[in-house]
Amino acid sequence: ALSVAELRAYWQRITALAKPWGPLLRVHLLTGGQRVEQLSRATLADLDADARTITLWDSKGRRKEPRRHVVPLLPEAETALAEMIHAKPREGADPIAARVGPFVFTASNGEVGASYHGCAAAVREVAAEMLKAGELDNGKGSFTIGDLRRTVETRLAALGISMDVRAQLQSHGLGGLQARHYNRHDYADEKRHALEKLRDLLTSKPATVSALRGRKRAR
């Protein structure tokens, strides 16, 4: 997992990264490191503007039917989704004309969902630049898009987010009897709170520690 300093450096780089890859990687991180394959299948029909969520469909494992997985969208993630539609419409046309398909996690103006390999390659390029700039622990080496998913869970755990909420946010470890049949809570507020904590971690400045001079003791 990346350290807090490394994760913040990654965030700074993808914030400055040109579209569509910058917005793609920001959405990936701001939604809690969701599986790229699930994000890439999402369409306009999966967006709920009122609830400010995106619904993914988790078919991982032995499920006969994909599990409905609702992920809150922070304002910064909503902005990044809009930025992915990057083609310029003809002069005087409605900006929505730039969209040529329904996919929302996209590098092709919605025509198809962004591929795992494309996103993974974009992360590798950012990691290589970070390594070159000394922003990564040399002993640790580079990192992958899968490492980011692990990093999110690790950092949320350190922030006090419970295992149950982390599992709900990343849609893993939910195949047990209790989760399938008894626990009907949707965790909407808890998931949004966890993502807000993650965003605050990414965007806050590191604390500076000033040395305090000791006072002379009176004799």
Side-chain angles (χ1 to χ4, degrees), residues 54-75:
I54 184 170
T55 297
L56 307 181
W57 297 95
D58 186 355
S59 58
K60 189 176 176 62
R62 300 179 181 178
R63 298 185 179 97
K64 294 181 179 179
E65 296 291 336
R67 175 182 177 272
R68 185 172 181 266
H69 174 41
V70 181
V71 181
L73 291 174
L74 301 182

Side-chain angles (χ1 to χ4, degrees), residues 30-78:
L30 287 170
T31 55
Q34 300 300 323
R35 296 182 180 92
V36 171
E37 297 89 339
Q38 292 173 20
L39 285 168
S40 67
R41 290 195 293 266
T43 67
L44 290 167
D46 297 312
L47 289 177
D48 186 329
D50 294 329
R52 302 178 75 177
T53 62
I54 184 170
T55 297
L56 307 181
W57 297 95
D58 186 355
S59 58
K60 189 176 176 62
R62 300 179 181 178
R63 298 185 179 97
K64 294 181 179 179
E65 296 291 336
R67 175 182 177 272
R68 185 172 181 266
H69 174 41
V70 181
V71 181
L73 291 174
L74 301 182
E76 296 86 349
E78 292 177 307

Side-chain angles (χ1 to χ4, degrees), residues 25 28 33-42 105 114-117 119-120 145 149:
L25 296 185
H28 172 257
Q34 300 300 323
R35 296 182 180 92
V36 171
E37 297 89 339
Q38 292 173 20
L39 285 168
S40 67
R41 290 195 293 266
F105 188 76
S115 71
Y116 173 86
H117 296 293
C119 293
I145 199 166
R149 181 172 168 84

Side-chain angles (χ1 to χ4, degrees), residues 1-2 6 127-128 130-132 135-144 147:
L2 275 67
E6 290 168 339
M130 290 176 62
L131 194 59
K132 189 187 303 182
E135 295 169 348
L136 288 177
D137 180 351
N138 286 330
K140 187 186 300 179
S142 189
F143 61 89
T144 67
D147 293 326

